[in-house]
């Protein structure tokens, strides 16, 4: 059974798919033709009833829905080494920072992208502990960084301001953030309060662009 | 009087500020901002979940399939050009994921599943028992009505059920449904016509009694 022209008109009218002129025409006919009006009214009542179904009921455990999904994405990225939807966006160099153990400090604590240069043999005389930080980039709004050399400690310090407070139960302490030279580049190591490394951010400078690699918590990557 | 459409729109917060538009959030996602994706998921998870549940008629499977749909959307976001609205693009992904699932499970259209929690299964003294937010008789009518609608919808084929759901419940336009289901607008109209005819037969007593 194919719909008649009138039936098709009624469906399109009720669905808001008629152009204004056709709508006016049909409304004129509906006013004059009781049979057509009745058919239209019945269909409208059916539609009104169907529309009582919820259009967007929350799935069970809606918060967990998001958390579970984002965790899957992070795991997938960690396993494949793939970056996120950005494909190449800088923020995702730091995706590992969203690991649960870094939630408090993690969102921003190391989200400072630093271009670092270790003075080599051809450069000026090495100054132990002194690292030349070319530039820094903090993707999080409200976070700023400053770099200075502390003579008494013989260390270059990258200081981040604007971070969230770190809760007491969080084992990672900002003051234990340290750095050391490794092979071709630099690794910034995040230490917990007992001095154990929990993660490292590595910059490989030989290929021209820094490559950051997270290490697994507590060990080597 | 034409029915109003119910296109998904960005929510308005309690402070009156509009949430970011989909286009802005998509651009942020493509720049690697997972928080933007989190907002999009929150915005659409209900619609996606409802759409899937309408097809697979099982709460647990619907949850998993909705997750898979969002995961695929995230993977595909770098290739999203914005030619279509984000939500129709997301619906199309969801539609494909759900249909793949249906094919794998070889669920024949017309087989009925009933996940409905019956009222007599709920302990009225239970701490999590639903609170009566409306008059008991009104609530009962709505529940009965919902059950009848679901039972009638379950008698439709998956294509017809999906089409009528996207039109009547989600408020999509013909061309949007066609894009989601990858068919012509003529096919959409045809499916709507037959689905409504069938539902009129199945539900006539119901809607004539309550209106």
């Amino acid at each position: 059974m194919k719909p008649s022209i009138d039936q098709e008109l009624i469906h399109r009218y009720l669905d808001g798919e008629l152009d204004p002129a056709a709508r006016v025409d049909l409304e004129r006919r509906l006013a004059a033709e009781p049979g057509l009006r009745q058919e239209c009214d019945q269909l409208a009542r059916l539609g009104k009833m169907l529309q009582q179904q919820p259009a967007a009921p929350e799935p069970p455990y809606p918060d967990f829905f998001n958390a579970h999904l984002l965790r899957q994405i992070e795991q997938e990225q960690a396993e494949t080494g793939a970056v996120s939807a950005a494909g190449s966006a800088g923020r995702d160099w730091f995706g590992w920072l969203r690991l649960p153990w870094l939630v408090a400090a993690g969102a921003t604590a190391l989200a400072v992208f630093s271009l670092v240069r270790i003075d080599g043999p051809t450069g000026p005389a090495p100054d132990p502990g002194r690292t030349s930080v070319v530039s820094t980039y903090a993707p999080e709004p409200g976070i700023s960084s400053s770099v200075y050399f502390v003579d008494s400690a013989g260390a270059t310090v990258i200081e981040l301001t604007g971070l969230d407070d770190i809760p007491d139960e969080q084992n990672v302490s900002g003051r234990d953030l340290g750095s050391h030279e490794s092979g071709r580049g630099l690794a910034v190591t995040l230490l917990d309060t007992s001095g154990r490394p929990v993660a490292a951010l590595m910059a490989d400078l030989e290929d021209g662009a820094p490559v950051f690699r997270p290490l697994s918590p507590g060990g080597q990557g | 009087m034409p029915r109003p459409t119910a296109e998904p729109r960005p929510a308005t917060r309690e402070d009156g500020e509009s949430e970011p538009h989909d286009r802005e959030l998509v651009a942020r996602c493509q720049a690697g901002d997972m928080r933007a994706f989190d907002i999009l998921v929150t915005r659409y998870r209900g619609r996606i979940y409802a759409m899937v549940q309408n097809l697979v008629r099982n709460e647990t499977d619907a949850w998993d399939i909705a997750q898979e749909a969002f995961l695929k959307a995230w993977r595909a976001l770098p290739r999203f050009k914005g030619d279509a609205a984000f939500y129709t693009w997301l619906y199309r992904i969801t539609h494909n994921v759900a249909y793949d699932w249906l094919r794998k499970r070889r669920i024949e259209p017309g087989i009925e599943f009933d996940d409905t929690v019956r009222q007599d299964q709920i302990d009225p003294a239970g701490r999590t028992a639903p609170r009566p937010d409306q008059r008991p008789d009104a609530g009962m009518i709505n529940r009965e009505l919902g059950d009848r609608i679901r039972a009638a919808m379950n008698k439709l084929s998956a294509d017809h059920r999906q089409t009528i759901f996207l039109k009547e419940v989600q408020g999509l336009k013909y061309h949007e449904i066609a894009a989601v289901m990858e068919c012509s607008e003529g096919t959409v109209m045809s499916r709507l016509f037959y689905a409504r005819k069938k539902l009129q037969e199945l539900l006539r007593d119901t809607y004539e009694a309550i209106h």
Side-chain angles (χ1 to χ4, degrees):
Chain A
M1 178 184 52
K2 284 185 67 175
S4 68
I5 292 174
D6 281 352
Q7 286 173 323
E8 189 178 315
L9 276 174
I10 289 172
H11 282 252
R12 292 177 58 200
Y13 170 71
L14 291 172
D15 289 336
E17 299 273 353
L18 279 185
D19 62 59
R23 193 170 69 236
V24 170
D25 272 354
L26 184 64
E27 285 175 346
R28 196 176 294 128
R29 286 188 58 201
L30 289 171
E33 299 176 35
L36 199 62
R37 175 90 253 171
Q38 187 184 13
E39 192 167 349
C40 184
D41 287 347
Q42 284 181 346
L43 209 52
R45 282 203 294 272
L46 173 69
K48 193 174 172 187
M49 190 174 72
L50 295 174
Q51 287 160 25
Q52 291 183 30
Q53 296 174 92
E58 284 283 27
Y61 312 108
D63 291 338
F64 178 64
F65 186 92
N66 286 40
H68 184 66
L69 179 64
L70 297 179
R71 196 175 307 133
Q72 284 185 85
I73 291 171
E74 287 165 358
Q75 282 177 352
E76 191 174 280
Q77 289 176 349
E79 286 167 8
T80 63
V83 289
S84 70
S88 61
R91 268 196 61 129
D92 278 282
W93 293 101
F94 305 97
W96 61 280
L97 283 171
R98 286 183 287 267
L99 292 170
W101 49 271
L102 267 181
V103 167
T108 50
L110 276 183
V112 172
F113 184 85
S114 306
L115 293 177
V116 185
R117 181 166 60 82
I118 310 292
D119 294 329
T122 57
D127 186 349
R130 186 182 290 274
T131 299
S132 174
V133 177
V134 181
S135 67
T136 62
Y137 165 65
E140 293 287 343
I143 305 296
S144 61
S145 63
S146 57
V147 181
Y148 52 88
F149 186 77
V150 180
D151 289 324
S152 58
T156 300
V157 175
I158 303 174
E159 183 176 303
L160 310 177
T161 53
L163 300 175
D164 293 338
D165 290 341
I166 299 174
D168 292 341
E169 62 270 21
Q170 177 58 263
N171 286 328
V172 177
S173 169
R175 65 195 166 95
D176 292 322
L177 183 70
S179 66
H180 66 269
E181 298 173 20
S182 67
R184 303 179 304 173
L186 178 107
V188 178
T189 307
L190 193 64
L191 307 172
D192 67 14
T193 48
S194 62
R196 289 180 307 176
V198 290
L201 211 56
M202 298 177 66
D204 184 340
L205 302 177
E206 277 200 352
D207 296 333
V211 176
F212 289 96
R213 301 187 189 91
L215 296 182
S216 58
Q220 300 297 308
Chain B
M1 187 68 180
R3 297 167 195 144
T5 57
E7 291 183 16
R9 295 181 192 285
T12 300
R13 297 195 302 249
E14 287 181 0
D15 60 9
E17 288 291 314
S18 291
E19 295 283 353
H21 195 278
D22 287 358
R23 279 192 301 273
E24 180 190 334
L25 291 169
V26 166
R28 283 168 53 188
C29 286
Q30 290 174 330
D33 185 350
M34 281 184 67
R35 285 178 308 177
F37 190 63
D38 192 29
I39 296 171
L40 283 172
V41 172
T42 301
R43 182 174 294 171
Y44 286 106
R45 66 189 176 203
R47 288 177 181 277
I48 293 302
Y49 175 73
M51 178 184 169
V52 176
Q53 197 178 26
N54 175 61
L55 270 178
V56 306
R57 291 162 288 173
N58 176 294
E59 196 174 83
T60 307
D61 290 329
W63 203 93
D64 290 341
I65 293 167
Q67 286 268 312
E68 179 67 18
F70 277 112
L71 195 58
K72 288 202 169 193
W74 170 259
R75 292 178 191 143
L77 262 170
R79 300 188 298 280
F80 177 64
K81 299 281 191 283
D83 299 333
F86 171 75
Y87 69 87
T88 52
W89 179 79
L90 179 62
Y91 278 29
R92 186 162 68 242
I93 290 174
T94 307
H95 176 82
N96 289 337
V97 172
Y99 267 63
D100 282 349
W101 185 90
L102 286 174
R103 272 191 288 271
K104 283 176 189 163
R105 296 296 178 102
R106 295 181 182 174
I107 289 181
E108 296 297 329
I111 295 178
E112 291 189 35
F113 292 85
D114 188 5
D115 282 342
T116 310
V117 178
R118 282 165 43 206
Q119 201 57 24
D120 58 8
Q121 294 172 324
I122 297 174
D123 176 5
R127 292 178 62 190
T128 56
R131 293 171 58 190
D133 292 329
Q134 52 193 165
R135 287 171 46 202
D137 56 340
M140 189 171 69
I141 287 169
N142 284 343
R143 275 193 302 277
E144 285 183 10
L145 184 60
D147 289 347
R148 287 182 194 180
I149 292 172
R150 271 190 294 278
M153 293 277 280
N154 286 348
K155 289 187 164 58
L156 302 178
S157 72
D159 283 341
H160 286 182
R161 193 164 65 246
Q162 181 79 318
T163 309
I164 197 86
F165 183 82
L166 290 176
K167 176 70 243 172
E168 297 287 14
V169 183
Q170 302 269 357
L172 268 60
K173 307 290 284 183
Y174 288 173
H175 74 273
E176 292 173 327
I177 299 172
V180 169
M181 300 187 72
E182 294 175 319
C183 62
S184 68
E185 285 189 42
T187 301
V188 171
M189 290 179 61
S190 171
R191 286 173 180 169
L192 281 174
F193 176 78
Y194 288 108
R196 283 169 173 155
K197 266 288 181 243
K198 180 80 173 170
L199 289 174
Q200 275 187 311
E201 290 170 19
L202 295 168
L203 293 168
R204 186 179 301 277
D205 291 347
T206 306
Y207 69 76
E208 288 191 344
I210 63 173
H211 290 285

